């Protein structure tokens, strides 16, 4: 367990890094601060050998045995690992386009997630920022769109759990996002602060429902969204009122991280953003862009993991399987590609590559 096997102090932060390998300055910074984990982006990825080396260097720099290595590998327009070195996966919505059976839909979502876990675990990546549990609403911004597993709260809840199960079976932790729901947002929180004006009962029965169904998952990421029915001033990330709803009404008691502190929805200095997130009830802060000056500001305002936050981190690490569920990778990839081939060529032109069974023959 984290508490007993590591006697040093872990900073309650997850950081990005700048390139394909660590600079001397990054190694020194990460060694001094010992963050809980790191997150990888396109700028950090070239070949499997390079990614493995970078992951090893990050773990060594952090200096504790339970470093979380995160990535956004959703499928569709959000996947950091791409061809030719890795298989291409469909957007979450595509699974529902190829079958009318809720049972097969669930099977395919779980299978896709299990295969993603296989890809990630081979690189030493142990956390995938999946599933998106946001329920898209008419006229909302398309930042969620086909990243959602369906257009009803029930479908998103069911398929989101299937994705979580597939990842966990392959030794990778899922992150339910963007809690308590980004589906009604009229703006992209990467650039602006969305304000949702729906009534509380609407939020409970639609937006919050998938998160309540999946509240037993180990990790969650907040939404930089204002929910006026709960807190008219602050987005979930910095709102004590909203995080109280997440903890008490939705029932999530896992490790809660904020979405990226460098996103345009948040204002103020990085110290202010960091302190506001932690004071509101986030356990861990996330800073993604690898900018050293910004990371230093975040680190200076971030405490070490302790108390309930440390316990939640311990519980999350304990969910990592050391012996994963057996998987015939080639058979699984063929099964997935055959299913996707049914309608994918006519449903979304951008996804025609998913219909090629050879895509899924990568070991």
């Amino acid at each position: 367990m984290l508490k007993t096997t590591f006697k040093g102090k872990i900073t309650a932060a997850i950081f990005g890094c700048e390139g394909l390998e660590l600079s001397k300055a990054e190694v020194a910074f990460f060694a001094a601060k010992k963050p809980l984990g790191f997150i990888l982006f396109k700028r950090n990825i070239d070949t499997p050998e390079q990614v493995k080396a970078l992951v090893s260097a990050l773990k060594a720099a952090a200096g504790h045995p339970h470093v979380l290595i995160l990535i956004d590998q959703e499928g569709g327009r959000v996947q950091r690992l791409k061809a030719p070195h890795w298989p291409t996966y469909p957007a979450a919505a595509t699974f529902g386009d190829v079958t009318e059976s809720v049972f097969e839909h669930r099977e395919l979502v779980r299978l896709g997630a299990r295969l993603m876990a296989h890809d990630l675990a081979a690189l030493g990546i142990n956390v995938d920022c999946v599933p998106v549990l946001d329920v898209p609403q008419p006229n909302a911004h398309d930042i969620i769109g086909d990243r959602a597993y369906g257009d009803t709260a029930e479908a998103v809840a069911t398929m989101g759990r299937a994705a979580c199960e597939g990842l966990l079976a392959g030794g990778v932790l899922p992150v339910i996002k963007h809690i308590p729901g980004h589906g009604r947002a009229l703006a992209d929180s990467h650039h602006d602060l969305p304000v949702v004006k729906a009534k509380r009962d609407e939020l409970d029965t639609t937006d919050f429902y998938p998160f309540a169904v999946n509240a037993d998952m180990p990790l969650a990421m907040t939404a930089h969204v204002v929910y006026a029915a709960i807190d008219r001033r602050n987005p979930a990330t910095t709102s004590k009122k909203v995080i109280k709803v997440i903890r008490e009404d939705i029932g999530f008691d896992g490790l809660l991280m904020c979405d990226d502190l460098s996103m345009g929805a948040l204002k103020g200095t990085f110290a202010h953003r960091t302190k506001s997130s932690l004071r509101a009830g986030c356990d861990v802060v996330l800073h993604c862009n690898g900018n050293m000056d910004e990371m230093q500001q975040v680190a200076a305002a971030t405490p070490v993991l302790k108390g309930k936050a440390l316990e939640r981190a311990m519980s999350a690490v304990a969910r990592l399987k050391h012996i994963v569920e057996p998987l015939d990778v080639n058979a699984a990839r063929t099964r997935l590609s055959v299913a996707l081939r049914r309608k994918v060529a006519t449903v979304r032109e951008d996804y025609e590559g998913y219909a090629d069974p050879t895509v899924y023959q990568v070991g």
Side-chain angles (χ1 to χ4, degrees):
M1 297 292 286
L2 186 60
K3 191 174 183 179
T4 57
T5 59
F6 181 66
K7 300 183 183 301
K9 295 181 178 180
I10 300 172
T11 299
I14 296 167
F15 290 122
C17 58
E18 202 165 48
L20 299 176
E21 58 185 29
L22 295 183
S23 67
K24 291 182 180 179
E26 286 174 327
V27 170
F29 173 72
F30 296 145
K33 298 303 179 183
K34 294 180 170 53
L36 176 62
F38 303 94
I39 185 165
L40 302 181
F41 284 84
K42 181 181 178 180
R43 66 179 182 271
N44 308 122
I45 293 164
D46 184 14
T47 67
E49 293 73 21
Q50 171 270 322
V51 175
K52 288 179 187 178
L54 177 59
V55 168
S56 294
L58 288 167
K59 290 179 177 179
H64 61 87
H66 300 289
V67 179
L68 299 181
I69 305 292
L70 287 68
I71 197 168
D72 292 294
Q73 187 72 353
E74 297 176 14
R77 55 194 160 113
V78 182
Q79 50 188 324
R80 313 306 183 198
L81 304 175
K82 296 184 178 183
H85 297 294
W86 294 278
T88 302
Y89 292 94
T94 304
F95 293 102
D97 292 334
V98 300
T99 180
E100 295 180 356
S101 166
V102 66
F103 302 107
E104 185 181 29
H105 186 182
R106 191 182 188 287
E107 177 218 340
L108 294 176
V109 170
R110 187 188 188 280
L111 183 59
R114 177 66 185 87
L115 284 165
M116 285 186 188
H118 170 80
D119 301 339
L120 299 179
L123 301 171
I125 298 170
N126 54 17
V127 180
D128 194 359
C129 297
V130 169
V132 171
L133 294 185
D134 307 311
V135 183
Q137 298 297 309
N139 302 316
H141 194 282
D142 65 0
I143 185 60
I144 300 303
D146 64 2
R147 298 167 67 194
Y149 290 96
D151 54 11
T152 68
E154 292 77 13
V156 171
T158 301
M159 301 311 154
R161 174 163 286 276
C164 289
E165 290 173 359
L167 290 171
L168 286 167
V172 172
L173 299 179
V175 179
I176 58 174
K177 65 182 186 184
H178 306 82
I179 198 168
H182 205 298
R184 292 182 191 272
L186 300 178
D188 179 355
S189 55
H190 290 88
H191 307 293
D192 301 293
L193 178 61
V195 177
V196 168
K197 297 181 179 179
K199 295 180 180 179
R200 176 62 193 273
D201 60 344
E202 292 180 276
L203 295 172
D204 285 336
T205 58
T206 302
D207 306 63
F208 298 174
Y209 178 77
F211 294 97
V213 169
N214 291 278
D216 58 316
M217 292 303 153
L219 304 166
M221 180 185 294
T222 62
H224 295 332
V225 175
V226 170
Y227 303 89
I230 303 171
D231 187 336
R232 293 183 176 275
R233 297 182 58 189
N234 303 297
T237 299
T238 60
S239 171
K240 290 183 180 180
K241 294 178 181 178
V242 176
I243 291 181
K244 183 178 180 182
V245 169
I246 290 170
R247 293 301 193 191
E248 296 182 3
D249 299 342
I250 292 175
F252 178 73
D253 193 38
L255 190 75
L256 184 65
M257 69 184 77
C258 68
D259 205 346
D260 183 10
L261 290 174
S262 64
M263 288 166 61
L266 301 183
K267 305 300 179 186
T269 66
F270 281 93
H272 172 75
R273 299 179 192 196
T274 300
K275 291 176 181 178
S276 296
S277 301
L278 294 168
R279 276 198 291 257
C282 291
D283 297 308
V284 174
V285 292
L286 173 66
H287 182 275
C288 296
N289 66 22
N291 180 287
M292 180 59 74
D293 179 62
E294 292 179 8
M295 289 194 295
Q296 289 174 335
Q297 294 177 58
V298 170
T302 305
V304 298
L305 273 173
K306 58 184 177 182
K308 191 66 175 177
L310 178 60
E311 291 177 14
R312 290 171 178 145
M314 291 167 57
S315 296
V317 168
R319 295 287 293 274
L320 284 169
K321 280 184 174 290
H322 298 289
I323 302 175
V324 301
E325 175 188 86
L327 179 71
D328 183 331
V329 176
N330 287 338
R333 295 203 192 285
T334 299
R335 162 68 180 135
L336 186 59
S337 65
V338 168
L340 293 171
R341 188 166 50 196
R342 294 173 194 157
K343 294 183 180 179
V344 75
T346 58
V347 173
R348 289 188 176 86
E349 292 179 358
D350 290 344
Y351 301 154
E352 57 189 26
Y354 306 139
D356 181 0
T358 62
V359 169
Y360 296 98
Q361 297 306 312
V362 180

